[in-house]
Amino acid sequence: MHWIALRWPPEIAAAQEVPLPSPEALGWWALQFTPRVAWVDGEALLLEVSACERLWGGRLALMREIARLNPVPEVPVQRAQGATSPVALARLRMFARGEQPPYELPSGLPLDTLSAARDHLEVLAHLGCRNWGDVEKLPRGGLTRRFGKALRAALDVAYGLAPDGHEWLQLPDVFEQKLELPALAEGAPELMWSANRLLAALQIWLRARQRGVVAIELQWTLDLKRLNGVTLPPHQQLTVRTAEPTQDMAHLRRLLSERLALTTLAAPASWLRLRSVETAPWAGASTSFLPEDNRKGDKLHELVERLSARLGPQQVLRAVAQADHRLECRQAWRPALHKPQAAASPPPASQSAARPTPGRPKAVDGPVGEPGAIYPSWLLREPLRLEVRDGHPCFRGVLRKRVGPQRLEVGWWGGPGQGAEEGGHPAVRDYYIAESPEAGLVWIFRERPSAFLSDEAPRWFLQGLYA
């Protein structure tokens, strides 16, 4: 067996004011190298790599990869190796103190590097024991009676005479971590500063599980039960959702900052908890060899999510198509964060329908041949009546007809449930695609005379705009 011991010096992290991830998160990070990972004495992370070191190209290549993938680049990870876990841990402790390991291992290791001997250093020193070899030479029975079984068992493990067993770390199915705040948080900046540490642990968990987060919940514990005579809830929380699974903590950090800036704390907070509400399998990010495909900046859905968090979901809308015979009602505006319902795919056409009729042109396949293929992407909620000059409609200049007419004739035209008695009326419209000197392509229609408009001249209206 071969062991690697890892340690992140807390003194360096404190000097650089860099928060370290929780020990549990660091253990999750180490699971990418080997499934056998364990914390020892709350001081070092032990990795048993004898079964997988060949997959990494050898021990030296594995040590370099651990240093390269350090989850806290500002704090260098200290590394040491050994044939058993006590030897690797002892060499790591000597490296942290700036001492060189002895030539003879493990007998030459200092006695204070053995965890089981730390409570008996003074007595062992009086017996003339200075290193592991001196204690190992003592009679087994007398050593066990005087210092207990733990010291003798630790030496047996260190010398490879007994199996080296640990409680291996396991990835939880759901991410949930709590953090005690260093000081009472009274506003969003203080909460966000501590939430960064939980987000770093969340990213490690997502990478280890190969999943992307869709929704997270941030909860903080209030330090007061009553304030100004008002009973306060024990907790406050907010939920952040994304349109697509993500492992980008910078994006989640921006969303949390926007939401926290709009949240008022009922009282100072003392604890913080982050939980994954919904996750999805992570497919990874695909890149292209073409430079124009690898655009820099935020993705569209990230921009929409950030604006919705800042301005409110009802202030960022998107157009949604609707099935309606009235063209001005074929488009509705919904919050951009709400996912549209998947439309049912039409049934396959029969062979008789697919066979062209003699004397009739063959239908064009695909969206171009559909009746709504020429409809604009932006429909006005109410048609805008246009000014007519010398018989030509005008919208930012005289309009020139490009495509049309497309005649639409319906029996009744009005609001929902409106018939002839409730205000509905028959309609005959001729639709055109026209070009404006300033507005570009627009969608207009002419309302033709009918029984409802028998005494009026034809009117022109603006129905929609093209991008």
Side-chain angles (χ1 to χ4, degrees):
M1 303 179 73
H2 189 76
W3 296 79
I4 297 177
L6 306 178
R7 177 179 179 268
W8 287 264
E11 58 275 6
I12 297 180
Q16 297 187 4
E17 298 182 355
V18 176
L20 288 175
S22 64
E24 189 178 20
L26 293 175
W28 297 338
W29 167 82
L31 286 174
Q32 64 183 305
F33 304 106
T34 174
R36 295 187 174 185
V37 178
W39 274 99
V40 177
D41 299 339
E43 173 187 1
L45 196 63
L46 289 178
L47 287 70
E48 203 285 302
V49 297
S50 59
C52 61
E53 60 182 12
R54 184 176 59 87
L55 302 176
W56 295 95
R59 299 175 183 176
L60 182 59
L62 176 57
M63 295 289 282
R64 291 174 178 172
E65 193 70 9
I66 291 175
R68 187 182 69 85
L69 299 177
N70 183 10
V72 192
E74 299 84 0
V75 181
V77 54
Q78 297 177 347
R79 313 177 301 280
Q81 305 180 70
T84 60
S85 62
V87 173
L89 181 59
R91 296 188 61 181
L92 180 66
R93 290 169 174 170
M94 296 186 66
F95 178 80
R97 297 186 306 205
E99 301 177 3
Q100 293 293 329
Y103 178 76
E104 185 180 359
L105 291 175
S107 298
L109 291 170
L111 202 55
D112 59 347
T113 59
L114 184 63
S115 301
R118 288 185 168 182
D119 295 335
H120 315 290
L121 291 179
E122 186 176 354
V123 178
L124 292 173
H126 286 298
L127 295 177
C129 298
R130 297 292 184 268
N131 51 45
W132 294 15
D134 296 337
V135 180
E136 200 275 334
K137 295 176 183 178
L138 295 177
R140 176 179 294 267
L143 184 64
T144 302
R145 289 192 299 270
R146 179 64 180 85
F147 299 103
K149 297 181 180 180
L151 180 56
R152 184 64 255 184
L155 289 173
D156 290 342
V157 172
Y159 279 84
L161 303 177
D164 198 345
H166 294 278
E167 185 177 353
W168 308 118
L169 291 178
Q170 299 290 337
L171 273 174
D173 295 332
V174 177
F175 175 86
E176 182 175 358
Q177 279 199 356
K178 294 183 63 176
L179 177 66
E180 185 177 7
L181 304 181
L184 293 180
E186 299 181 355
E190 294 90 341
L191 283 180
M192 198 62 222
W193 186 88
S194 299
N196 288 332
R197 182 176 176 183
L198 295 178
L199 288 175
L202 173 63
Q203 186 179 41
I204 294 175
W205 179 82
L206 290 173
R207 290 176 176 175
R209 295 282 299 182
Q210 296 185 6
R211 299 186 71 83
V213 68
V214 179
I216 58 174
E217 181 187 73
L218 183 67
Q219 182 186 87
W220 54 93
T221 302
L222 301 180
D223 191 58
L224 300 177
K225 296 183 178 180
R226 294 177 62 86
L227 183 63
N228 297 329
V230 178
T231 303
L232 300 177
H235 308 285
Q236 279 186 292
Q237 63 274 338
L238 60 86
T239 302
V240 174
R241 289 187 172 272
T242 59
E244 298 179 4
T246 181
Q247 292 184 357
D248 186 4
M249 293 301 109
H251 178 54
L252 290 179
R253 191 176 297 111
R254 287 193 293 264
L255 293 181
L256 275 179
S257 299
E258 298 289 352
R259 292 291 304 276
L260 285 174
L262 301 176
T263 304
T264 302
L265 272 65
S270 57
W271 281 84
L272 202 60
R273 182 178 71 96
L274 185 65
R275 181 174 66 93
S276 62
V277 178
E278 182 181 353
T279 60
W282 176 247
S286 60
T287 57
S288 173
F289 289 107
L290 302 177
E292 58 269 17
D293 293 341
N294 300 324
R295 299 179 179 178
K296 298 181 179 180
D298 296 339
K299 299 179 181 178
L300 177 59
H301 73 273
E302 294 180 353
L303 174 64
V304 171
E305 292 167 359
R306 190 165 68 252
L307 291 178
S308 300
R310 179 180 303 176
L311 305 176
Q314 301 300 327
Q315 302 300 324
V316 183
L317 308 177
R318 61 176 177 83
V320 179
Q322 296 190 131
D324 200 296
H325 69 282
R326 298 159 299 174
L327 297 182
E328 53 263 33
C329 299
R330 285 191 175 183
Q331 192 177 80
W333 293 91
R334 300 285 185 263
L337 291 182
H338 293 178
K339 294 183 178 180
Q341 295 181 355
S345 58
S350 62
Q351 294 182 0
S352 60
R355 187 180 301 113
T357 304
R360 185 173 298 177
K362 183 179 179 180
V364 181
D365 295 334
V368 178
E370 297 178 0
I374 62 174
Y375 292 166
S377 57
W378 185 4
L379 297 177
L380 301 183
R381 294 183 179 180
E382 295 291 339
L384 177 65
R385 186 168 181 176
L386 300 178
E387 179 185 358
V388 179
R389 299 175 188 172
D390 300 330
H392 298 283
C394 300
F395 179 71
R396 296 186 182 179
V398 179
L399 296 177
R400 301 177 60 185
K401 302 171 187 174
R402 295 299 186 188
V403 179
Q406 178 190 11
R407 178 159 294 183
L408 180 65
E409 184 173 355
V410 295
W412 295 107
W413 197 279
Q418 291 184 355
E421 294 79 5
E422 291 83 4
H425 58 84
V428 180
R429 296 179 177 181
D430 291 337
Y431 279 86
Y432 297 86
I433 297 178
E435 184 177 3
S436 170
E438 297 183 7
L441 294 179
V442 295
W443 202 36
I444 62 175
F445 69 87
R446 178 179 60 184
E447 200 166 39
R448 297 177 57 84
S450 63
F452 180 73
L453 297 171
S454 58
D455 298 334
E456 295 187 20
R459 300 182 299 178
W460 290 90
F461 291 87
L462 176 67
Q463 182 75 74
L465 302 173
Y466 291 89

